[in-house]
Amino acid sequence: MKNKINSQSLLSTLWIFVLLNIIFRDLHQFLNQGYIEEMMNLNISEETKLFYGLVLEIPILMTVLSRILNNISNKWINITIASLLMIGTLSALAPADMDDVFFTLINTIAFLAIIYIAWKLPSKKGLDFSKVV
């Protein structure tokens, strides 16, 4: 008997994977000499902090939405959000060091997996026989 993972559960799990990679990539930066001092000397506006807080909230929200949305909504929201975050992640890569490239590569693979799995979700209303077998 084959164990098949529900698409919604898999999408939700991939979003948790993306979130953990974002968090640990940021924590990994603390290992760079002078990083804490550099961050403390930055004058970051409240609006910028709010923006980055909202960006970080997206994968958190997607873990829930992936489990509760119907297939049509799930398909298009996951494809859209994963595509936008992947573009944003890749655009921030320019001055990256090796660990940034590594975390970006891992997240890009996760985003592509999310897009692929979401694309395979049925997009027509009606019976979904894939869950029967």
Side-chain angles (χ1 to χ4, degrees):
M1 186 171 162
K2 243 183 179 180
N3 285 339
K4 189 171 182 181
I5 299 173
N6 177 312
S7 295
Q8 281 91 351
S9 297
L10 185 54
L11 287 169
S12 181
T13 303
L14 283 168
W15 281 110
I16 293 168
F17 179 81
V18 166
L19 178 64
L20 289 172
N21 270 288
I22 292 169
I23 292 168
F24 281 98
R25 183 254 168 220
D26 290 345
L27 289 175
H28 195 254
Q29 292 298 89
F30 286 114
L31 298 175
N32 291 337
Q33 187 173 4
Y35 180 77
I36 295 172
E37 293 82 12
E38 181 182 339
M39 289 295 109
M40 292 185 71
N41 290 328
L42 288 177
N43 188 12
I44 301 172
S45 70
E46 290 299 315
E47 292 81 9
T48 302
K49 289 181 204 175
L50 176 62
F51 171 76
Y52 286 114
L54 291 171
V55 169
L56 189 57
E57 189 65 32
I58 293 170
I60 297 169
L61 179 62
M62 290 307 297
T63 63
V64 175
L65 291 180
S66 294
R67 288 186 174 266
I68 64 173
L69 292 175
N70 65 43
N71 282 340
I72 296 169
S73 299
N74 224 343
K75 178 180 208 163
W76 296 113
I77 288 175
N78 271 282
I79 289 171
T80 302
I81 297 299
S83 298
L84 290 173
L85 288 181
M86 183 171 60
I87 290 167
T89 300
L90 290 170
S91 70
L93 191 58
D97 49 19
M98 286 179 59
D99 61 319
D100 291 335
V101 172
F102 172 75
F103 282 108
T104 298
L105 176 65
I106 297 299
N107 265 350
T108 300
I109 291 168
F111 289 134
L112 291 171
I114 289 168
I115 292 167
Y116 176 76
I117 292 162
W119 184 258
K120 288 178 58 177
L121 289 171
S123 47
K124 294 181 181 173
K125 290 186 179 183
L127 295 176
D128 182 8
F129 292 106
S130 66
K131 293 183 181 177
V132 175
V133 180

